[in-house]
Amino acid sequence: MLTFHNVCLAPSSFQLTGIPGLESLHIWLSIPFSSMYLVAVVGNATILAVVRVEHSLHQPMYFFLCMLAIIDLVLSTSTMPKLLGIFWFGAGDIGLDACLAQMFLIHCFATVESGIFLAMAFDRYVAICNPLHHTTVLTHTMVGRLGMAALCRGVLYIGPLPLMIRLRLPLYKTRVISHSYCEHMAVVTLTCGDSRINNIYGLSIGFLVLILDSMAITASYVMIFRTVIGLSTPEARLKTLGTCGSHICAILIFYVPIAVSSLIHQFGHQVPPPIHTLLANFYLLIPPILNPIVYAVRTKQIRERLLQILKTETKIK
């Protein structure tokens, strides 16, 4: 590791601190975090398995749900094993390239998830506002293209972030990152160089993804609600809105923690650092945990298939 004027370093690795300020509680914190990670993995793997074996679920809505499950598995797995390693073994050391790769995975797949929610909103809009054209518009090929478009957008938007850090900001004030994973701003604040371009680019991407996606989703649901209000009977309205219930819950689960975390980061200067870090981790864990639960509870086909599997296993035992 090289030093520059005994102030700035060119480190080959960083040291993640886990939850700063709560180091003495790391072993206890590992219990809820490991439990939540296990629930997230089992829940999303179950959704993938159920949709795969149940042919009646081979529809656009459930294909998008499978994409969400894969994304949630990537998001949780990109951070939780390392965090648990810090909690259990104090293994906070992470190579520079591994740190940038983790940063890319986190921000890229969060962007992809937002894109999938937008695609799901489009699916619900066509299904409710133009039901006769749903099967011709949302074909399997179109679903695949929408998923690929969300992935390509995530790679295109987030790919420059680690590259700009690697090429433009090689020197750092310290190699200690007061965080549990390599989040973009946590790394950029340690650099010695001019990070304004990185900050502007990061904020611009946040605006493009979160603000514009949420506005487009809101617009689609405004049109959906207008169509639902025009239905003849209250029963028809409730049944139609019921098909959107799981999607609305999943959207709130995804966007609300991001909004709360962003507001606290910008304005909550009196909030202790451990709270910031805990919220950042919950933001990556809450959607992977709750999405499978929401869809299993609110979606009749998934719920019935799960009950059927459980009954079969009980009979075998």
Side-chain angles (χ1 to χ4, degrees), residues 14 22 29 51 55-56 85 156 267 313 315:
F14 292 105
L22 298 179
L29 288 172
V51 174
H55 293 287
S56 66
L156 181 65
F267 306 108
E313 291 181 352
K315 290 179 181 179

Side-chain angles (χ1 to χ4, degrees), residues 25-84:
L25 300 176
H26 275 180
I27 193 64
W28 296 106
L29 288 172
S30 69
I31 297 174
F33 274 100
S34 60
S35 300
M36 288 188 290
Y37 177 54
L38 179 62
V39 170
V41 171
V42 172
N44 286 286
T46 301
I47 290 292
L48 290 171
V50 169
V51 174
R52 183 178 184 275
V53 301
E54 184 57 55
H55 293 287
S56 66
L57 299 179
H58 291 183
Q59 302 172 28
M61 175 180 174
Y62 302 107
F63 289 142
F64 287 130
L65 176 58
C66 287
M67 295 178 193
L68 281 184
I70 294 171
I71 292 166
D72 287 339
L73 286 172
V74 173
L75 281 174
S76 56
T77 302
S78 63
T79 56
M80 285 304 111
K82 185 62 181 178
L83 179 60
L84 294 176

Side-chain angles (χ1 to χ4, degrees), residues 182 198 209 253 260 301:
C182 291
N198 297 69
V209 174
I253 290 168
V260 172
Q301 294 94 325

Side-chain angles (χ1 to χ4, degrees), residues 3-24:
T3 60
F4 180 74
H5 296 311
N6 297 320
V7 175
C8 292
L9 314 170
S12 58
S13 64
F14 292 105
Q15 184 72 27
L16 295 168
T17 58
I19 311 296
L22 298 179
E23 287 83 0
S24 61

Side-chain angles (χ1 to χ4, degrees), residues 103-146:
M103 176 195 303
F104 171 78
L105 288 174
I106 293 168
H107 295 295
C108 175
F109 279 89
T111 302
V112 175
E113 184 157 5
S114 183
I116 296 300
F117 281 127
L118 182 56
M120 294 175 78
F122 175 67
D123 169 61
R124 291 298 86 202
Y125 166 76
V126 176
I128 294 172
C129 299
N130 296 285
L132 297 179
H133 297 92
H134 185 246
T135 55
T136 57
V137 174
L138 269 298
T139 61
H140 290 183
T141 301
M142 177 58 71
V143 171
R145 287 176 179 173
L146 289 173

Side-chain angles (χ1 to χ4, degrees), residues 9-11 14 95-104 107 157-174 177 181-202:
L9 314 170
F14 292 105
L96 174 60
D97 291 333
C99 180
L100 296 179
Q102 185 186 56
M103 176 195 303
F104 171 78
H107 295 295
Y157 281 4
I158 304 302
L161 283 179
L163 289 177
M164 286 193 297
I165 292 176
R166 194 74 167 89
L167 299 176
R168 295 187 64 257
L169 303 171
L171 302 177
Y172 296 83
K173 303 168 189 174
T174 176
I177 300 176
Y181 57 84
C182 291
E183 194 267 337
H184 177 248
M185 289 306 300
V187 175
V188 168
T189 53
L190 302 181
T191 61
C192 292
D194 186 357
S195 61
R196 284 178 296 179
I197 294 178
N198 297 69
N199 293 333
I200 293 171
Y201 185 81

